[in-house]
Amino acid sequence: MEKTVLVVLPLQAHHRALLEESAPGYAFTYAAKEAVTAEMVKQADVIIGNVPAQWLRASPRLAWLQLDSAGADAYIAPGVLAEHTVLTCATGAYGKAVAEHLFAMLWMLQKKLHLYRDHQNRHEWTDEGPVTSVAGKTVLVVGLGNIGLYFARLVKAVGAHVIGVKRRPTEQLPDCADAVYQMDRLQSLLPQADVVASVLPGTPQTRRIFGASAFAAMKPEAFFLNAGRGINVDTDALCSALKSRQIAGAGIDVTDPEPLPAGHALWSCPNALITPHISGQFHLQDTLEQIVQIAAENLRRFANGLELKSVVDFESGYSR
């Protein structure tokens, strides 16, 4: 029986050709995310793209699920995937998009451009005073995976001193970092940082790791950035730190809760810059191109009985 592949990505003809060339003889079905059905999911041997996790429910047929996201939170919960189902993610596809988004947020905050945009909307000619620069400052990158490394390269290129923090010890110091430590050093490193950028996955170990004590340890002139997971931040503590000027500002693309309710206090913090979890997705075309390349390579490997790349570690929710 031929293998059936369900693809839930916004692909063009050349993308489809690349996938189909990777697995000759396989039957492909393409569907937009809003048009995919539970029946399509049930009939698939292979799925490329994120489908509703509740439709999987330990499907006896599904042999492999290739996510279009780097994180796999919804898919590693008990009972979602059968033991025989291999889960892979799109690690490596989002580095450029998310890191550039964080970099843009940082410079916007340092140069107070968000405040000047507010003045423009009110037709006000107002000088907001002194600004800061990332050059010569210490940037603490928490989560030194693909996105963290890309961000580290960006800030290093404009003269920052970069300290990385990661879960596992590093065998070799990356050229974009001046030092790398493990997570148990985070609290002691916070007072050194002028910028703290979090791109951590959301796990029980990282939940609300940035709370009142973390913000209290940071410099009053420090900026906090988050494009990892909203649950890693105590939102009330962040609001308090912003309103009391315990920290200078925050640029966040992820929140807890998410979406952020219209009446939430965080919206009203003038030193907060908020975007609605859009730094990744497919807003940058290069991201989709990278995901298709990852999926095509894994599809070729799957069709030839080879080990797949970026297999998800169910403990961390990210690739091994």
Side-chain angles (χ1 to χ4, degrees):
M1 177 183 282
E2 66 180 1
K3 297 288 186 182
T4 60
V5 182
L6 172 62
V7 183
V8 189
L9 293 172
L11 302 185
Q12 298 174 16
H14 69 282
H15 296 137
R16 297 185 182 193
L18 179 61
L19 292 178
E20 292 169 17
E21 288 167 4
S22 301
Y26 281 34
F28 286 78
T29 298
Y30 299 92
K33 286 196 176 183
E34 59 273 15
V36 71
T37 65
E39 186 60 27
M40 290 179 182
V41 171
K42 182 180 178 181
Q43 296 300 320
D45 296 297
V46 172
I47 298 175
I48 298 175
N50 293 26
V51 297
Q54 66 270 23
W55 288 354
L56 298 169
R57 290 301 170 201
S59 168
R61 179 163 180 169
L62 184 63
W64 164 44
L65 171 60
Q66 169 69 59
L67 300 178
D68 60 53
S69 59
D73 311 41
Y75 302 92
I76 60 175
V80 173
L81 295 178
E83 287 187 10
H84 69 272
T85 303
V86 179
L87 179 64
T88 59
C89 65
T91 292
Y94 291 93
K96 177 192 261 187
V98 178
E100 287 184 349
H101 187 93
L102 281 179
F103 191 63
M105 279 186 142
L106 173 59
W107 272 17
M108 192 168 184
L109 287 164
Q110 287 188 318
K111 305 306 178 185
K112 300 181 179 178
L113 300 183
H114 59 304
L115 300 181
Y116 288 112
R117 182 66 184 189
D118 291 343
H119 294 324
Q120 179 180 337
N121 289 336
R122 294 192 295 266
H123 303 179
E124 296 174 353
W125 190 270
T126 303
D127 188 334
E128 284 291 340
V131 297
T132 56
S133 172
V134 71
K137 297 297 192 295
T138 296
V139 177
L140 185 63
V141 183
V142 188
L144 210 58
N146 175 253
I147 297 170
L149 286 169
Y150 205 110
F151 180 75
R153 292 186 191 101
L154 291 177
V155 293
K156 186 71 175 173
V158 292
H161 177 79
V162 180
I163 300 174
V165 180
K166 58 185 299 186
R167 287 183 298 122
R168 300 188 183 97
T170 185
E171 296 181 1
Q172 184 175 358
L173 187 69
D175 58 6
C176 57
D178 296 285
V180 177
Y181 300 94
Q182 289 182 256
M183 288 295 294
D184 59 359
R185 293 288 302 276
L186 175 61
Q187 190 70 20
S188 65
L189 293 169
L190 290 172
Q192 303 177 35
D194 299 287
V195 178
V196 177
S198 173
V199 285
L200 288 170
T203 69
Q205 292 73 35
T206 61
R207 185 176 182 85
R208 296 198 172 185
I209 196 169
F210 292 102
S213 62
F215 295 122
M218 291 170 61
K219 298 178 180 181
E221 63 270 25
F223 293 97
F224 176 70
L225 308 172
N226 186 20
R229 287 291 182 267
I231 63 168
N232 295 336
V233 177
D234 182 331
T235 308
D236 290 340
L238 176 60
C239 283
S240 177
L242 289 169
K243 288 183 176 181
S244 65
R245 299 286 174 173
Q246 198 170 40
I247 61 174
I252 54 176
D253 184 52
V254 288
T255 61
D256 182 28
E258 190 174 298
L260 192 65
H264 199 283
L266 192 57
W267 288 115
S268 302
C269 296
N271 47 347
L273 184 58
I274 304 167
T275 53
H277 203 156
I278 46 75
S279 62
Q281 299 186 31
F282 304 136
H283 294 310
L284 185 67
Q285 180 64 24
D286 186 63
T287 301
L288 178 59
E289 300 296 332
Q290 291 290 328
I291 290 170
V292 173
Q293 291 293 332
I294 290 168
E297 171 61 16
N298 263 348
L299 192 55
R300 182 190 67 79
R301 288 170 169 265
F302 182 83
N304 289 280
L306 302 175
E307 184 179 356
L308 303 184
K309 290 186 174 182
S310 299
V311 175
V312 171
D313 174 5
F314 274 58
E315 182 179 343
S316 69
Y318 280 65
S319 65
R320 297 170 189 153

